[in-house]
Amino acid sequence: MKPLSMISKFTVALGIIIAFASCTSYKEVPYFQNIDQVTPTEVQALYDARIMPKDILTVTVNTTDPMVSAPFNLTTQTQNTSRYSITSQPTLQQYLVNNNGEIDFPVLGILKVGGLTKNEAEGMIREKLKPYIKETPVVTVRMVDFKISVIGEVNHPGQFIITKEKVNILEALALAGDMTVYGIRNDVILVREDAEGKRQFQHLNLNDANIIQSPYYQLQQNDILYVKPNKTKAKNSDIGSSTTLWFSATSILISLTSLLYNILKK
């Protein structure tokens, strides 16, 4: 058996290095790597979002007699413009929660809703309506702008409106098309702003299955998830025209060296 040439040895060594690097990087890709080690926990109450300053709400009051509830259901006129006509239709009034967590509600006046869940806000409004409505009305509070943002190493970064007002980390990543292979899964950064305007940064390890028990697993409105790029992506982003030219020159040099080696050994 003929001994391997220098070029062959180099090729084999390079292949081993690439294979080893591929195996090493794969270990960082799967979520929930220790899922078998997670102990079952008691089922926690379903997350219910709390109203915060700058949230936009709709509030509807319904009774058996629409005329009774009409003063509490303000509407605004919106125009739908088409090529041939302009039509106007009523839409429900929206309420912007101010920095003090208050809204100005018809008849009832200023209502403090900041910090309350939807159910708590609905119950509070029902109580305040008792002097005005004999029957118990159906009060529905909706958050119009429950949104989260996912940026960084995901396939479809962007801001997403959550109609069901409830979303966890994995659902948010699914909306963004999941992480790319370059995303760092064991150090996802959550940016959160509380009702007082204070921002906090939380590091989350999605390789660890215990993340589902974290108080940060359920996202709040206006949360931002940032997926950092790994070193491979960072290095690739530095490759410019000069680097490409260097690789081309190196490739040519290797080819010439191989050619000269084959000529000289004859």
Side-chain angles (χ1 to χ4, degrees):
M1 180 181 294
K2 295 182 179 180
L4 292 173
S5 67
M6 184 183 301
I7 300 297
S8 299
K9 290 179 180 179
F10 175 77
T11 303
V12 172
L14 182 61
I16 293 173
I17 293 172
I18 293 174
F20 179 77
S22 300
C23 294
T24 303
S25 60
Y26 173 77
K27 295 178 181 178
E28 301 173 356
V29 173
Y31 300 119
F32 305 152
Q33 294 183 19
N34 59 336
I35 192 169
D36 295 332
Q37 302 173 11
V38 177
T39 56
T41 58
E42 294 182 0
V43 178
Q44 299 178 354
L46 292 177
Y47 171 77
D48 200 356
R50 294 190 176 274
I51 300 169
M52 298 177 62
K54 304 306 180 184
D55 279 347
I56 299 176
L57 310 177
T58 60
V59 183
T60 56
V61 179
N62 290 307
T63 59
T64 54
D65 184 355
M67 295 300 295
V68 174
S69 57
F72 306 98
N73 295 319
L74 294 186
T75 58
T76 58
Q77 295 294 324
T78 58
Q79 288 187 345
N80 295 327
T81 303
S82 67
R83 182 177 178 179
Y84 302 103
S85 64
I86 298 177
T87 59
S88 181
Q89 62 182 18
T91 58
L92 204 60
Q93 172 69 47
Q94 296 182 348
Y95 301 92
L96 176 65
V97 182
N98 65 21
N99 291 340
N100 296 322
E102 301 168 337
I103 61 172
D104 190 357
F105 195 70
V107 182
L108 300 182
I110 301 299
L111 298 179
K112 177 75 172 182
V113 296
L116 302 179
T117 65
K118 288 198 315 169
N119 289 341
E120 291 169 347
E122 289 165 355
M124 182 261 289
I125 295 173
R126 274 195 300 269
E127 285 296 315
K128 291 185 176 295
L129 287 173
K130 284 184 176 180
Y132 304 93
I133 303 176
K134 293 181 180 180
E135 66 176 288
T136 302
V138 176
V139 179
T140 304
V141 175
R142 292 291 306 271
M143 294 181 185
V144 178
D145 67 334
F146 190 108
K147 60 183 179 293
I148 53 97
S149 300
V150 185
I151 59 175
E153 279 303 318
V154 292
N155 288 296
H156 307 293
Q159 189 177 82
F160 305 95
I161 301 295
I162 310 300
T163 56
K164 64 180 182 178
E165 301 167 8
K166 178 178 179 292
V167 63
N168 60 45
I169 295 171
L170 296 182
E171 290 171 330
L173 289 174
L175 289 172
D178 202 4
M179 294 189 202
T180 69
V181 293
Y182 299 109
I184 296 179
R185 285 149 171 76
N186 62 2
D187 192 18
V188 176
I189 297 177
L190 170 64
V191 184
R192 175 169 292 176
E193 183 174 328
D194 61 20
E196 285 73 39
K198 296 179 181 178
R199 295 183 180 88
Q200 60 174 310
F201 299 86
Q202 188 66 33
H203 296 264
L204 307 173
N205 181 3
L206 300 191
N207 290 146
D208 185 358
N210 288 294
I211 188 66
I212 63 175
Q213 301 173 359
S214 167
Y216 299 98
Y217 181 66
Q218 294 290 344
L219 300 183
Q220 298 179 6
Q221 62 266 48
N222 303 316
D223 277 355
I224 301 173
L225 281 180
Y226 170 53
V227 180
K228 298 190 296 184
N230 58 22
K231 292 180 180 179
T232 302
K233 181 59 178 289
K235 290 178 181 178
N236 289 344
S237 65
D238 291 334
I239 297 177
S241 57
S242 60
T243 307
T244 303
L245 181 62
W246 183 86
F247 275 119
S248 299
T250 303
S251 177
I252 294 172
L253 182 61
I254 292 174
S255 299
L256 289 175
T257 303
S258 176
L259 178 61
L260 290 173
Y261 177 81
N262 292 327
I263 293 174
L264 292 175
K265 77 174 183 177
K266 292 180 179 180

